[in-house]
Amino acid sequence: MTVEGRETLYRAIRDAVMDEITAHGIELVQEQDHDLLVPVSVSARHIHLEQKHAEILFGKNYTFTKHRDISQPGQYSCMEQVTIVGPKSQMERVRIVAPLRKQTQIEISKTDAIKLGVNPPVRHSGDLKGSAPLTVIGPKGNVDLLEGCIIADRHIHMSPADAKRFGVVNHQKVKVEIDGEKGGLMYGVTIRVSDRYALDMHIDTDDANAFGIKGQEYLTLIK
């Protein structure tokens, strides 16, 4: 083989090897990145009921019918829906999320709040003291809530193992990066850690629309 032939063969082998290394390198980076991404779910307006209010709205000993499971273990949306009423308007077909809770809680977006004519605070789930009042109408009766309506804060559910992997702690505030045509940084995202949680980020429809999120994406957590 001539010198020129050997050099040509060498370059071909080198290029083939580099292409293989590059291809595997990209694949490995993608796998590592995906391992540190967070799935996101979009939460439309919904309501969690306490036992007393469930009985007023639907009747004593009423059993709710599962619609579908949601991202957190043991929680599911129900076929049953209610109407919520504010000073300016009302919204029908607000879905119930089960199981029942200690206190009735309604989660809406800021856009919903403006339409209803209420001013709910941005809160963690369960932090309802001094939150907005609303009326709830069911097939059997009505409930006038003195408090219970909130705009849920942006948050990420994760297990202790997930928290260790991401290097975060319970109640820590983080940023999340979103790619795409309307991508950007989402600030003030609360970490929630429990051995009852599955990894998932929850945002409302206002945030989803602002960033072009459909609820099938994986987002980047930034501490």
Side-chain angles (χ1 to χ4, degrees):
M1 180 181 293
T2 65
V3 174
E4 292 81 1
R6 286 197 298 271
E7 289 179 350
T8 300
L9 179 60
Y10 168 75
R11 285 195 296 269
I13 294 173
R14 181 195 63 188
D15 292 345
V17 170
M18 290 305 297
D19 288 344
E20 187 71 13
I21 290 173
T22 301
H24 282 293
I26 292 173
E27 182 179 350
L28 288 172
V29 169
Q30 288 175 340
E31 288 178 357
Q32 290 170 351
D33 286 347
H34 189 274
D35 192 48
L36 292 177
L37 296 178
V38 178
V40 60
S41 295
V42 180
S43 295
R45 69 184 76 99
H46 61 275
I47 182 170
H48 304 271
L49 291 175
E50 61 185 81
Q51 182 68 47
K52 178 177 67 176
H53 292 161
E55 292 185 354
I56 293 173
L57 295 169
F58 289 91
K60 191 172 181 61
N61 298 321
Y62 185 86
T63 301
F64 291 97
T65 304
K66 180 187 287 189
H67 173 239
R68 64 179 179 86
D69 291 317
I70 58 178
S71 66
Q72 295 310 298
Q75 297 190 31
Y76 55 93
S77 62
C78 300
M79 296 296 296
E80 292 79 4
Q81 300 173 359
V82 296
T83 297
I84 56 176
V85 184
K88 290 176 59 177
S89 67
Q90 67 181 36
M91 291 182 172
E92 301 176 345
R93 297 186 295 278
V94 177
R95 198 171 293 278
I96 294 166
V97 173
L100 299 179
R101 293 195 175 185
K102 293 181 179 180
Q103 185 175 356
T104 294
Q105 174 176 302
I106 303 171
E107 298 178 37
I108 63 175
S109 69
K110 182 63 177 178
T111 299
D112 292 339
I114 293 170
K115 291 179 66 175
L116 290 167
V118 293
N119 187 31
V122 177
R123 294 277 182 85
H124 300 328
S125 180
D127 183 7
L128 302 178
K129 186 175 178 59
S131 56
L134 274 181
T135 295
V136 184
I137 301 175
K140 297 293 185 179
N142 304 340
V143 173
D144 294 317
L145 295 177
L146 299 179
E147 61 182 17
C149 179
I150 64 171
I151 298 172
D153 67 338
R154 304 160 173 165
H155 58 276
I156 302 174
H157 293 284
M158 59 175 63
S159 68
D162 290 325
K164 182 177 181 180
R165 181 161 55 89
F166 282 95
V168 295
V169 296
N170 195 32
H171 296 151
Q172 180 177 343
K173 295 288 186 178
V174 299
K175 300 185 289 291
V176 171
E177 184 177 22
I178 300 98
D179 293 326
E181 293 180 341
K182 299 186 73 176
L185 285 177
M186 195 177 292
Y187 290 83
V189 181
T190 305
I191 299 295
R192 299 188 190 171
V193 181
S194 172
D195 55 11
R196 304 188 310 274
Y197 292 160
L199 182 63
D200 198 41
M201 179 177 177
H202 288 179
I203 58 174
D204 65 21
T205 51
D206 280 356
D207 282 337
N209 291 334
F211 287 91
I213 295 172
K214 297 180 179 179
Q216 303 171 342
E217 300 85 354
Y218 283 80
L219 310 181
T220 303
L221 187 153
I222 302 174
K223 290 182 286 183

